[in-house]
Each structure stands twice: as C-alpha cells, then as structure tokens.
Amino acid sequence: VRRAYSFAEVAHLGQKRLSGEDLLQHALAVAEILTEIRADSNTLAAALLHDVLEKSNLSQESLAEEFGEEIAALVEGLTVVRGASARSGGEKERDWENLRHLILAAVRDPRVLAIRLAEKIHNLHTSSALPEGKQRVAAQKVFDIWAPLAALLGLYRFKAELEDLAFAILEPKKYGEIEGKVRVEVEKMEGVVAEVKKRLEEETKRESIPVEISSRTKHLWGVYRKLSSYERQAGGKFYDVFGLRVITETVEECYRVLDLVRQLWREIPDFFDDHIAHPKPNGYQSLHAVFTVEDHLVEIQIRTIAMHEVAEYGLAAHAVYEEGK
C-alpha cells in the first residue's frame, strides 16, 4: 500500500481534478472508502493506482512488473468497466439491465467493482465542481447502474451512501425535508430505544445469551422510498428509521432472542421478516421484527456474527466468489 501511494504520487505529480484538488487526493480518498469494507491490501493498492494507466503513459506490463499481475489486473479491470459504462451515453432509450450485465460480464474479479463504487462515492462527494446538468446525470446513474450493482455484491454501505448522495443532488428540497423528519423522529425515540436496549441486555444476560446490541438509523433514500408504506401500514409512523440490532453467536440464539423480545413487548406481526429461513438472493440473512413500545414502533434486527459480517462487508466477507452468481 505504501509503495502504491509513492508510485501514484510520482505518476500524478502536478495533476489536478476539476475541483482543484490534487488527483492523488482522489486516489487516497477512494482507498480510504474501501477500508470501510475491510478491503485487502491488493485492493487498496489498486485503488491508489486506479488512474495511473489512463492519466499517465504507463503500460499495464510496467505496472505488473512493479506490483504483480493481480494488482495490474485490478487496475486494468477498472479501465474495462469505465469503457463498458461509457456506452450508456447518447441513446434516449437506455437498457440499464443490459448495461449492468455488460459491466458484470467485463469484470473477472468483483473487487474491481468495489473500487469503481468507491470511486463513484468520492466523485459524488466532490461533484459540486461539475455543471448542474452533469451532476444530475451522474446522480441518476446511481439509481440506474451503480446502486443495483452494489446491492448485487452485498455492499449495502456503499449502496446507501450512493443513494443518499444522489438523492440530495436530484431532489434537494425533498432530501432536506426527509433529513429534518428523520432527525426529529430519532430525537423522539432516543430515550425509548435506550430503554429497550437496557432491558434487552438485562434479559439476555439472565438467560445467558451472549449478545452485542447497537442502534442503527435507516438511510434517507430508504425512508423517502417507503413514505407511502409508512402511511399505509403504520399510520405515518417511521417504524424502522431508528431501531436496534442484536448480534449473537448462533442461529438458535437468534430465535431465542426473538422469543425473549416477544415476551417483553407486543409485536406487529405484519412487519415480521425471517431472512434467516429465507435469505435474500445476495445472501443477506437477519430476523426483522417491529414492536410497540410506549406508543412508539421499534424495529429490532437479530442476526449472528457471520450474518452481520456479510451484511456489513458484502463480498469482502465471502470466502468464495462464483462468477455469474
């Protein structure tokens, strides 16, 4: 990683982005975003080097000599993905499903897409340097191309951040309204959620069930997308905006915790999802249940450590990646 940084520093000497930022700082930011999913050192090195083939006269062969075939292949893979995604320009009726398949077909290693997604996140963070029209095009591509690919890889952190950044660009007024509503809701529920957490910690300790309990807040685009559902199903209450996540060791303990919670508070049966028995297509597993606590609706997610790793880190948590699945 240090060698890649030094190499990129020389390759990008004097090169700037439209924002006026050094190109090297962009490479560094992309690598830093990838640390959030525990990317391995070869992925981080490739992230630091991700622009060197296109922004300098360096060849892939020279890069392979310096860093090995694996890192060179990751950097070259990014060039291929850029080429595939560039084909979306111009036509009025774009077939996004086919384009996503084209990008996937071009990728031999899923880490290439992880780097590309991290690059998209940083690009959106710094997109204010672009004309408004280009900002909006980049933001719309999040929903058409990049967020679905992030979901396919199980990279929910990246998916959520991309969607929120794009939402803020495309619908700034609505984004501000949702942000305000969520902030008010979280403030209202903080005390209730803290009390539920305390009670759960006491009860699981009494039952000798090892748990780690933390609070979680739903991302803003997810809240906006579910506004009609909140109105229809919960009388306008944001039942899953601010809730608890309980992590334990075994599947059996997940169901024991669920039984325990059902004894403590009244469950809303319509909101129960068993993604342990019925995992999502990308492997996501967790129990989701909603309970009435002091006139508030509180969502509790229950999963094992292994399930949490997959949910948090996506492809980085999978030991094996099967091409085409």
Side-chain angles (χ1 to χ4, degrees), residues 4-276:
Y5 179 82
S6 299
F7 195 89
E9 190 174 28
V10 173
H12 296 315
L13 196 62
Q15 293 181 348
K16 302 277 186 183
R17 304 181 81 214
L18 280 176
S19 62
E21 174 189 58
D22 287 343
L23 189 57
L24 179 67
Q25 291 306 310
H26 167 65
L28 188 60
V30 172
E32 189 173 10
I33 289 165
L34 286 158
T35 64
E36 295 172 16
I37 59 162
R38 297 182 184 168
D40 64 298
S41 58
N42 280 354
T43 306
L44 297 179
L48 288 166
L49 298 164
H50 78 269
D51 273 328
V52 296
L53 291 182
E54 292 180 47
K55 304 289 186 183
S56 72
N57 57 7
L58 190 77
S59 68
Q60 189 187 0
E61 291 73 23
S62 301
L63 194 64
E65 281 176 27
E66 188 70 30
F67 290 98
E69 293 292 342
E70 186 180 336
I71 289 173
L74 290 173
V75 177
E76 173 63 20
L78 283 158
T79 305
V80 173
V81 169
R82 284 195 190 103
S85 56
R87 297 184 203 182
S88 64
E91 69 272 24
K92 287 182 180 177
E93 291 297 322
R94 299 184 177 103
D95 188 340
W96 298 117
E97 184 68 23
N98 278 343
L99 180 60
R100 290 195 295 267
H101 281 300
L102 181 67
I103 291 169
L104 280 174
V107 173
R108 294 183 178 276
D109 188 321
R111 293 174 298 177
V112 170
L113 266 183
I115 298 168
R116 184 64 169 150
L117 291 166
E119 186 185 11
K120 287 292 172 187
I121 289 170
H122 188 246
N123 284 346
L124 286 174
H125 272 299
T126 57
S127 67
S128 58
L130 296 173
E132 187 183 343
K134 287 193 173 182
Q135 286 184 52
R136 294 184 67 82
V137 168
Q140 187 55 51
K141 281 187 178 181
V142 165
F143 296 109
D144 295 331
I145 305 171
W146 304 112
L149 287 174
L152 191 67
L153 297 179
L155 292 173
Y156 287 109
R157 285 180 179 214
F158 285 7
K159 179 178 182 288
E161 189 167 0
L162 282 164
E163 287 174 339
D164 279 358
L165 287 165
F167 179 30
I169 291 168
L170 293 171
E171 300 279 2
K173 189 177 177 185
K174 288 176 182 173
Y175 179 89
E177 287 172 5
I178 294 294
E179 190 178 36
K181 286 179 180 178
V182 167
R183 189 169 56 247
V184 168
E185 189 67 19
V186 169
E187 286 170 2
K188 277 197 307 189
M189 290 185 65
E190 269 178 337
V192 176
V193 169
E195 192 55 42
V196 171
K197 180 176 183 283
K198 183 183 172 191
R199 184 82 190 277
L200 258 181
E201 284 171 341
E202 291 169 353
E203 296 298 328
T204 50
K205 187 176 181 181
R206 186 175 292 125
E207 294 292 325
S208 301
I209 307 172
V211 296
E212 183 181 309
I213 304 173
S214 59
S215 56
R216 48 153 288 282
T217 307
K218 194 175 183 72
H219 74 291
L220 299 178
W221 171 250
V223 175
Y224 174 68
R225 204 178 51 191
K226 285 182 71 172
L227 282 179
S228 60
S229 164
Y230 292 133
E231 201 59 52
R232 189 176 64 253
Q233 292 181 290
K237 290 184 179 178
F238 290 1
Y239 61 85
D240 62 350
V241 164
F242 186 53
L244 288 174
R245 184 170 289 146
V246 182
I247 300 169
T248 186
E249 292 177 359
T250 67
V251 171
E252 181 196 356
E253 286 167 351
C254 287
Y255 288 102
R256 283 180 66 198
V257 170
L258 178 62
D259 287 341
L260 197 59
V261 183
R262 282 172 168 168
Q263 291 168 33
L264 295 171
W265 297 284
R266 185 171 69 83
E267 185 182 9
I268 312 294
D270 290 350
F271 297 149
F272 176 66
D273 283 304
D274 187 344
H275 295 302
I276 293 179

Side-chain angles (χ1 to χ4, degrees), residues 282-293:
N282 61 15
Y284 176 85
Q285 290 183 286
S286 187
L287 297 173
H288 292 194
V290 177
F291 299 87
T292 303
V293 185

